[in-house]
Amino acid sequence: MSSSSVSTYNWCAGLGGVGFLETAYLTFLKLTNSDAFCPIGGGNCGDVLSSDYAVVFGVPLPLIGMISYGLVAALGLQLSGKKLPFGIDESNGRLLLLGCTTSMAAASGYFLYMLSTKFSGTSCSYCLLSAFLSFSLFFITLKDFGLEEIQKFLGLQLCIASLVIFSLNTSYATLRPASSSSLANINLEYFTTEITTPSSPFAISLARHLQSIGAKMYGAFWCSHCQEQKQIFGKEAAELLNYVECFPDGFRKGSKMIKACADAKLEGFPTWVINGQVLSGDQELSELAKVSEFKIEESNQPS
């Protein structure tokens, strides 16, 4: 076994392990109907995970991904240690690894297409991470094969990819158009949510400071994280913030953010822009004070 092959197997084991952890977390959320934590803020991750497209033939999609990544990680470890089970030799083990990564790359390509068409305007960081891992595993595995071997097994790879796409199409063909996406046919009229928590003296002072330096908070009326951020500030302080509503006319299919939000190139909600620094997601008051260089008085320490 060449050192190049060992490196390939180690990469497959490592990336497969990362994918296994990610999909295990998503599987737990799916099975417990829990909300997904979106690293960039907003509620889009949970919207995709709770949609009909997160299930294939009745099996949660993250569970299928967890099994696939786990298999790739296990094969990588077994091949690097030359301890394949069931009497499988290295040659057949490499083919099995290539078949797994080919099917995962084909599925990821299909899901990226679905994300761009059925969930237009939605940003799903977990989906993008999984696609990155799948494509990386495929190309790393493919690189270990010579040109002659690639040509020899090209037909097999095309058959595997076609079978994966056909299976996914068959599963999703049973979905009713009206329920194909929780966002595709949504029609939300603009509404406001009352802030019920009282503001502390520190929160009010911080809000005034943020207003004075031109700090802005970009958000959307339907974004739960945006409401949580305002609740952290409290009613009085929230009214002092330079808050920019990105969908003042409501949200429906085809809706676009107002120019101020589009120009800010937001990746999620809420997004803070303070002294040129961008913060994604809801933030603790202490973090906002630190970034904005707010001088915290001893008597106004955040609780």
Side-chain angles (χ1 to χ4, degrees):
M1 188 175 359
S2 67
S3 60
S4 175
S5 295
V6 173
S7 177
T8 296
Y9 302 150
N10 288 336
W11 272 107
C12 287
L15 293 178
V18 173
F20 179 83
L21 293 176
E22 180 209 9
T23 49
Y25 168 66
L26 295 177
T27 299
F28 169 77
L29 296 180
K30 183 68 176 176
L31 295 178
T32 59
N33 291 319
S34 302
D35 292 330
F37 167 73
C38 297
I40 61 174
N44 293 336
C45 301
D47 293 333
V48 175
L49 187 62
S50 62
S51 73
D52 294 334
Y53 289 93
V55 177
V56 177
F57 293 115
V59 181
L61 183 58
L63 179 59
I64 298 175
M66 184 178 73
I67 295 172
S68 301
Y69 281 118
L71 179 59
V72 168
L75 280 172
L77 289 173
Q78 295 290 334
L79 283 167
S80 64
K82 301 186 69 173
K83 297 179 181 179
L84 290 166
F86 311 116
I88 301 175
D89 58 23
E90 183 183 356
S91 178
N92 289 327
R94 291 171 69 234
L95 280 179
L96 183 58
L97 185 62
L98 180 62
C100 289
T101 57
T102 297
S103 63
M104 292 167 67
S108 291
Y110 181 89
F111 292 131
L112 286 178
Y113 167 76
M114 299 300 289
L115 185 65
S116 65
T117 56
K118 303 298 183 180
F119 297 88
S120 179
T122 301
S123 175
C124 176
S125 53
Y126 295 111
C127 308
L128 299 179
L129 173 59
S130 184
F132 170 77
L133 292 173
S134 296
F135 286 125
S136 296
L137 286 167
F138 171 68
F139 287 115
I140 288 173
T141 305
L142 193 65
K143 183 177 68 67
D144 195 49
F145 285 76
L147 181 60
E148 292 185 2
E149 284 185 297
I150 293 175
Q151 293 175 337
K152 181 180 178 180
F153 298 117
L154 180 60
L156 176 61
Q157 289 179 275
L158 291 176
C159 287
I160 292 174
S162 298
L163 180 61
V164 169
I165 294 175
F166 174 77
S167 299
L168 292 173
N169 265 325
T170 301
S171 175
Y172 295 145
T174 60
L175 297 181
R176 296 170 296 176
S179 62
S180 61
S181 168
S182 60
L183 295 179
N185 301 308
I186 200 166
N187 187 357
L188 280 179
E189 296 295 332
Y190 176 78
F191 62 85
T192 58
T193 302
E194 182 182 1
I195 307 301
T196 56
T197 56
S199 298
S200 66
F202 173 78
I204 294 175
S205 298
L206 175 60
R208 287 174 176 162
H209 171 71
L210 292 170
Q211 182 187 61
S212 68
I213 64 173
K216 292 182 179 180
M217 171 187 167
Y218 296 87
F221 66 95
W222 43 261
C223 164
S224 59
H225 289 273
C226 301
Q227 303 308 321
E228 290 172 4
Q229 182 70 90
K230 293 179 181 179
Q231 293 285 4
I232 291 175
F233 271 94
K235 183 176 181 180
E236 298 83 2
E239 294 176 353
L240 299 173
L241 298 174
N242 287 323
Y243 174 73
V244 181
E245 172 57 55
C246 293
F247 296 93
D249 297 323
F251 182 83
R252 57 190 58 83
K253 184 179 181 180
S255 293
K256 294 183 178 181
M257 295 186 290
I258 62 174
K259 188 176 184 302
C261 296
D263 291 344
K265 298 180 180 180
L266 308 177
E267 294 184 347
F269 301 118
T271 293
W272 286 92
V273 178
I274 305 174
N275 294 332
Q277 184 173 344
V278 178
L279 301 176
S280 297
D282 45 324
Q283 306 291 325
E284 294 294 332
L285 298 185
S286 56
E287 178 64 19
L288 293 174
K290 178 181 177 181
V291 173
S292 66
E293 299 180 350
F294 177 60
K295 304 301 181 182
I296 304 176
E297 298 178 3
E298 292 296 328
S299 59
N300 287 332
Q301 287 285 344
S303 57

